[in-house]
Amino acid sequence: MTREYAMTGFTVREHRVEVPVDWSAPDRFGSIEVFARELVDPEKASDDLPLLLFLQGGPGGQGPRPLGGGWVAAALEKYRVILLDQRGTGRSSPVDGRVISRVDDPAGYLACFRGDAIVADAEHLRATVFGGRQWATLGQSYGGFLTLTYLSRHPEALTRCFVTGGLPPATVDAEAVYAATFPRQAARNRELARLHPADVPLLGAVADLLSDRPVTLPTGEPFTVERLQQLGQGLGMSTGIDEVHWLLDTALTPAGALSDAFLGSVVSATGFDSNPLYAVLQEVIYHQGHREPGWAAQRERDQWPTFDPDARPLQLTGETIFPWMYEQHAALRPFRAAAEALAARTEWPALYDLDRLAANEVPVAAVQYYDDPYVDLDLALATPVGNLDVWITNEHLHDGLRAAGDTILPRLFDLAAGKARVTGR
């Protein structure tokens, strides 16, 4: 099924394909729909342009809804751009609490939404909609994880790969990931205190109010100190520290109470209504082979008394999911039993073929960020990938592609083509 229409700066074609939920047992859960948008510069619509598949960050994030400019405009100079809504997101049979409540084996169902299945969906899209043509990939954040899964399974499908802030820590488990990223989040808290020192006692004052008596958010959910700490999820983004600062700017009324505007902003900044799979799959994307059961981020948090809700100065947590969230967040409550079952699971299929990656011949150009608290630089560089050029920089944070994609992407194009050299490595 295809539909076409024009927007400012590009023409859109919409594609839909049907895929099995479980590629290894197609009859197990039946089928779902996968949706993708194809963008092309109207002036080049009749040209035989190469294809670029964009692999969205996440997990559980829908493809971007472009408004023109930025990295999309840079990509459209060379490519037809394919924006995939990964399974369970956007218009690809989205999974929410109502959907999961109707599934007989919710944990088994959700285990089918990892990178291996997303790559299988992309391969089906490539074969059925694009006639099996090879394509390049651009992986942002988690999209870089998907890129290496793609290279592990179907390198013959790929002409070249571009990765922004997303070379995965493929050689370690989730526990090692959080052991490395908690110190980076602590550093981001120190940077918040350096740039906005008055925010430190203000955060403490808000936390004390939440500790003194129950507070309810406009959604009816409890507003706890733990949820206040979730405001740190965005500290790895280019504007994250300032966003926290401005949110706190009107946190208190003149009488010293929490303002309605602040409570509404907390809902928007910390909720999972639009992306519950981000929470449910957050640790699952790391699991391979045998692992000890349990919640990896919570296990690491327990080693950091400075991140305790009662500690002062209050520390804001990062890209981490904790068991309490399935009680306090209404959007996650239907997933609680499934999330617990996934955390208890001890055997997982492999996502990466390290030998195949080490022998890779597909050109890969990546940018990684020194101060990124989401994807640890040292762990990312430890993943063996042949024919890889990595540009390491402190000019950008995790959202470099969004914030400066029109400069980052052309440089990655040149790196992959051998027209530029890596500096800062």
Side-chain angles (χ1 to χ4, degrees):
M1 298 174 60
T2 300
R3 183 169 78 97
E4 182 172 319
Y5 54 92
M7 293 190 69
T8 302
F10 49 83
T11 298
V12 181
R13 290 177 183 164
E14 296 183 348
H15 304 290
R16 298 173 180 82
V17 296
E18 191 173 278
V19 299
V21 173
D22 187 342
W23 278 98
S24 66
D27 295 332
R28 184 183 177 200
F29 293 114
S31 63
I32 55 176
E33 186 174 85
V34 166
F35 174 87
R37 285 184 176 87
E38 174 187 350
L39 310 184
V40 64
D41 182 332
E43 296 184 359
K44 301 177 181 179
S46 60
D47 295 353
D48 185 22
L49 297 171
L51 304 175
L52 176 69
L53 172 68
F54 180 68
L55 298 171
Q56 172 70 28
Q62 67 181 19
R65 272 54 180 167
L67 298 175
W71 73 262
V72 172
L76 288 175
E77 293 179 8
K78 295 177 175 289
Y79 291 97
R80 292 180 182 270
V81 176
I82 315 303
L83 304 176
L84 175 68
D85 279 355
Q86 296 167 19
R87 54 170 47 207
T89 75
R91 291 172 62 184
S92 291
S93 297
V95 175
D96 57 18
R98 286 168 292 190
V99 170
I100 208 64
S101 66
R102 298 194 296 266
V103 176
D104 290 336
D105 177 12
Y109 187 85
L110 292 167
C112 296
F113 284 71
R114 300 202 309 157
D116 47 359
I118 294 169
V119 168
D121 295 344
E123 275 296 276
H124 183 68
L125 181 74
R126 186 177 70 89
T128 58
V129 173
F130 298 103
R133 289 182 59 192
Q134 288 182 300
W135 54 18
T137 63
L138 169 59
Q140 158 63 16
S141 186
Y142 176 58
F145 293 33
L146 300 176
T147 300
L148 265 61
T149 298
Y150 217 144
L151 287 168
S152 295
R153 293 168 180 256
H154 301 286
E156 73 285 351
L158 308 174
T159 57
R160 55 194 57 193
C161 299
F162 311 103
V163 176
T164 55
L167 289 176
T171 61
V172 298
D173 57 18
E175 282 74 11
V177 169
Y178 294 115
T181 54
F182 258 79
R184 292 188 180 273
Q185 184 68 12
R188 296 306 293 161
N189 275 276
R190 292 193 295 273
E191 185 68 359
L192 170 65
R194 184 185 72 82
L195 293 173
H196 304 294
D199 289 351
V200 175
L202 181 54
L203 271 170
V206 173
D208 291 343
L209 285 175
L210 299 177
S211 299
D212 289 343
R213 60 178 179 82
V215 176
T216 302
L217 292 167
T219 55
E221 299 165 309
F223 187 16
T224 62
V225 179
E226 291 94 339
R227 186 149 182 179
L228 175 66
Q229 290 178 289
Q230 273 188 263
L231 294 178
Q233 287 177 332
L235 293 186
M237 304 297 185
S238 56
T239 59
I241 285 178
D242 289 341
E243 286 174 1
V244 170
H245 170 71
W246 290 125
L247 193 151
L248 291 171
D249 186 57
T250 55
L252 300 178
T253 68
L258 297 175
S259 73
D260 290 343
F262 175 66
L263 296 177
S265 296
V266 168
V267 171
S268 300
T270 63
F272 297 102
D273 296 85
S274 64
N275 60 342
L277 290 185
Y278 172 87
V280 177
L281 301 177
Q282 185 64 224
E283 296 191 3
V284 170
I285 64 173
Y286 297 109
H287 298 340
Q288 300 185 90
H290 179 79
R291 71 176 303 271
E292 293 300 313
W295 298 84
Q298 183 64 54
R299 186 176 291 136
E300 181 63 26
R301 217 295 291 153
D302 291 341
Q303 305 302 311
W304 287 78
T306 53
F307 278 90
D308 190 276
D310 295 328
R312 301 292 183 271
L314 186 74
Q315 299 294 290
L316 303 180
T317 52
E319 193 173 47
T320 45
I321 299 299
F322 303 112
W324 63 262
M325 293 180 177
Y326 292 90
E327 299 174 4
Q328 295 188 22
H329 286 270
L332 297 184
R333 288 170 193 156
F335 293 90
R336 179 176 178 177
E340 291 176 345
L342 291 172
R345 185 171 170 176
T346 57
E347 298 293 335
W348 291 87
L351 292 169
Y352 310 108
D353 183 331
L354 296 181
D355 291 336
R356 199 168 196 179
L357 288 175
N360 171 62
E361 296 181 354
V362 179
V364 182
V367 58
Q368 293 292 132
Y369 311 115
Y370 276 112
D371 302 317
D372 191 339
Y374 306 145
V375 179
D376 180 77
L377 179 62
D378 294 333
L379 294 182
L381 296 180
T383 299
V385 183
N387 207 13
L388 167 67
D389 282 308
V390 185
W391 164 30
I392 304 170
T393 179
N394 62 0
E395 295 176 84
H396 309 289
L397 284 168
H398 191 74
D399 61 341
L401 184 66
R402 178 183 62 81
D406 53 347
T407 58
I408 287 177
L409 195 55
R411 179 165 184 183
L412 293 183
F413 288 164
D414 287 345
L415 275 177
K419 297 178 181 178
R421 298 181 61 189
V422 173
T423 58
R425 225 181 142 171

